[in-house]
Amino acid sequence: MRDVLSAVIGKSVRQAARLRGGGSALPGLVVEKLDPGFMGRVLGRLPYGVIAVSGTNGKTTTTKMIVELLQARGLRVFTNKTGSNFSRGVVAAAIQECSLGGKLDADVAVLELDEAHAMYFIDRVRPRFTLLLNVLRDQLDRFGEIDTTAKLLQRIADATSEGVVVNREDRLVAAIGERTRERGGSATPDGLPVVREFGLSSALLSTFPSDDDFHATPLAGAAADDAPERPDADVTLVELGDHEAVFRIAGDDHRTALKLEGLYNTFNAAAALATVRMVLDAGPLPGHSASYRTADTDAALVAALAEVRPAFGRGEQLVLDGQPLELVLVKNPAGFRLGLASFEASGVDVMIAINDQYADGRDMSWLWDVDFGSLAEEGVDTVSGTRAWDMALRLEHDDVPVGQVEEDLGRALASFRERTLRDGAGARPRRIYCTYTAMLELRRALAELTDVEDIW
């Protein structure tokens, strides 16, 4: 009866919020207050349990990849697809998807979790599997230094019941894997590995600098030829190309085309593959039937990966005035730096939108750790957001010309569009680098001008 009452209340709040233009997490906030056990009961019934995805960078797109790979194998998947990664966002998504009886039509949940707010989640729901992506300096006003973030991820790993996938190229995340092995032994009672890894070939290490070597390692893209080759991870990214990659899985190389944008998303694809392989190997929890692991699963997973598109705002490509417009989320030095390295700077009109709201992080000093020299030749047409003038000052120090500074995002987008039209014959391709809240506001504005995927 509690589930029925909570579902009805939540759905009513959701409908009222939509009519008033309110936030998507409001129903979750209300239900959490009225029925703190709702989330645990709803997710606790799923045959394959809960997969948690956490880390500093890449959670939303990697979660989307895992979801679509599992769906390609026939599983019904529940996820917080809006990217609202606080517990109230998970509850709000559950309310949207569940029946009036409070039941989800799903086999497994794949949930993106904010590092700090995951502590609330794991007190109520124990993940069966966890993927830990990376630890980078991000939102220092919330997390402090990276050791604090690593401790939070360690707690998620400690709460995980069956398997943890870690990034072996990130020192702090790899250490969590080692501690998990020591805590849990070499295998679960079913003989499944407690810890699996995703990683890079030696030739690609310098393309993806960790936080440790962030200031020392260039983004030239090629590692030293004399770098010794290391043992393969469960899934290893061994080669990068233009919208294609080669993944080594169980000793076999799988080359595939990709619709994903950005170097970082290609590495995160290795994380998604490793996680899905672990889930399919484990099968459903005792008392549930059906298994989706077959002999050709690895090839089938890579084929499914080729069809995955970027998550909203993460290299998402829209069409405006007949030309592409890319939205690239930036939230810390490593992410911005890899974003700049992932996209050709020439022949594109650029806007940068920097906000400093809570979800972005209040401390924008990290902008000074990013090299913007690649934008110097063609410049940045428009700088916007609440920290527009800070961004403009940072670009000036790297000799990057700025066409205009307009703090208001709506006016800036309209002006950017008008200024970049060429002789009335249509715009060149456009790209907007933006922080999280700026991205959400820009998507709402763009939805009035072109087709934008609904993420409600």
Side-chain angles (χ1 to χ4, degrees):
M1 186 65 186
R2 285 184 302 171
D3 289 349
V4 174
L5 181 60
S6 295
V8 170
I9 291 173
K11 288 178 180 293
S12 299
V13 172
R14 178 176 180 269
Q15 184 61 29
R18 292 197 70 173
L19 292 173
R20 299 185 61 180
S24 61
L26 180 60
L29 184 62
V30 172
V31 171
E32 273 192 324
K33 294 291 186 184
L34 296 176
D35 183 6
F38 177 79
M39 178 170 62
R41 295 195 307 273
V42 169
L43 298 181
R45 304 186 185 106
L46 301 177
Y48 276 74
V50 173
I51 304 167
V53 179
S54 197
T56 307
N57 266 14
K59 295 185 290 293
T60 299
T61 295
T62 307
T63 297
K64 185 175 188 288
M65 284 190 269
I66 294 172
V67 167
E68 295 190 23
L69 293 180
L70 289 172
Q71 289 174 334
R73 302 308 297 165
L75 274 75
R76 299 165 300 163
V77 184
F78 164 72
T79 188
N80 48 336
K81 64 182 179 180
T82 67
S84 180
N85 53 30
F86 296 174
S87 60
R88 60 181 177 268
V90 176
V91 175
I95 290 166
Q96 177 182 345
E97 299 294 331
C98 74
S99 68
L100 288 175
K103 293 184 178 180
L104 288 171
D105 182 23
D107 298 304
V108 63
V110 184
L111 302 174
E112 169 189 347
L113 297 179
D114 172 88
E115 301 93 305
H117 285 264
M119 301 306 101
Y120 179 92
F121 180 88
I122 62 177
D123 283 343
R124 288 153 181 79
V125 181
R126 189 180 184 189
R128 187 183 180 199
F129 307 103
T130 288
L131 166 62
L132 301 179
L133 291 167
N134 44 56
V135 178
L136 300 166
R137 283 175 173 81
D138 181 49
Q139 299 193 37
L140 299 182
D141 52 301
R142 287 184 61 206
F143 297 115
E145 279 300 314
I146 57 175
D147 289 343
T148 301
T149 305
K151 290 176 182 177
L152 295 174
L153 297 185
Q154 180 72 63
R155 289 180 61 185
I156 303 174
D158 291 343
T160 302
S161 63
E162 191 158 329
V164 179
V165 176
V166 298
N167 177 357
R168 77 170 184 187
E169 315 306 351
D170 185 299
R171 174 181 60 86
L172 293 173
V173 172
I176 292 172
E178 287 302 315
R179 286 190 288 270
T180 302
R181 287 189 182 95
E182 293 169 2
R183 174 175 59 85
S186 61
T188 68
D190 293 328
L192 299 173
V194 172
V195 177
R196 294 191 185 184
E197 298 177 327
F198 67 98
L200 299 163
S201 65
S202 297
L204 291 179
L205 283 174
S206 67
T207 305
F208 300 90
S210 67
D211 202 89
D212 286 336
D213 54 19
F214 178 71
H215 295 288
T217 303
L219 273 174
D225 293 336
D226 58 354
E229 197 57 55
R230 299 163 305 149
D232 292 331
D234 185 64
V235 177
T236 307
L237 176 61
V238 297
E239 189 177 323
L240 279 170
D242 182 12
H243 288 86
E244 70 171 11
V246 177
F247 299 95
R248 184 167 296 153
I249 307 173
D252 294 327
D253 286 358
H254 300 264
R255 182 178 297 275
T256 181
L258 295 171
K259 295 179 180 178
L260 298 166
E261 298 288 346
L263 301 174
Y264 42 85
N265 282 337
T266 308
F267 186 30
N268 290 335
L273 288 167
T275 304
V276 172
R277 294 181 82 248
M278 180 175 65
V279 173
L280 297 179
D281 282 344
L285 289 162
H288 297 278
S289 60
S291 177
Y292 296 88
R293 182 80 169 144
T294 59
D296 65 343
T297 296
D298 291 336
L301 289 177
V302 174
L305 179 67
E307 300 303 315
V308 178
R309 296 184 179 277
F312 69 96
R314 280 75 172 178
E316 179 183 22
Q317 190 169 104
L318 311 175
V319 175
L320 183 63
D321 302 316
Q323 292 289 337
L325 186 153
E326 292 170 326
L327 294 175
V328 182
L329 178 69
V330 294
K331 55 198 289 286
N332 53 47
F336 211 149
R337 204 174 174 204
L338 276 172
L340 292 169
S342 296
F343 301 99
E344 180 61 48
S346 62
V348 178
D349 292 315
V350 173
M351 173 175 166
I352 299 178
I354 304 295
N355 276 356
D356 62 351
Q357 298 180 30
Y358 178 76
D360 308 301
R362 303 289 190 184
D363 183 357
M364 288 292 125
S365 62
W366 61 265
L367 292 171
W368 293 89
D369 292 328
V370 182
D371 181 359
F372 293 97
S374 62
L375 300 176
E377 183 174 348
E378 296 209 10
V380 172
D381 182 90
T382 301
V383 176
S384 185
T386 56
R387 299 297 287 269
W389 291 102
D390 298 77
M391 186 70 247
L393 177 63
R394 177 66 193 91
L395 292 172
E396 180 182 349
H397 275 257
D398 276 0
D399 297 320
V400 179
V402 174
Q404 65 170 343
V405 179
E406 169 55 69
E407 293 183 24
D408 184 87
L409 286 166
R411 289 196 296 267
L413 178 62
S415 179
F416 176 54
R417 183 188 183 197
E418 181 180 350
R419 286 166 53 88
T420 54
L421 287 170
R422 303 300 185 210
D423 301 323
R428 298 195 303 173
R430 303 179 181 97
R431 184 174 302 127
I432 304 178
Y433 295 98
C434 45
T435 56
Y436 182 72
T437 64
M439 180 262 294
L440 293 180
E441 185 172 341
L442 288 168
R443 287 183 96 258
R444 285 193 292 270
L446 286 163
E448 299 179 2
L449 303 172
T450 187
D451 292 331
V452 176
E453 180 184 1
D454 185 6
I455 59 169
W456 182 270

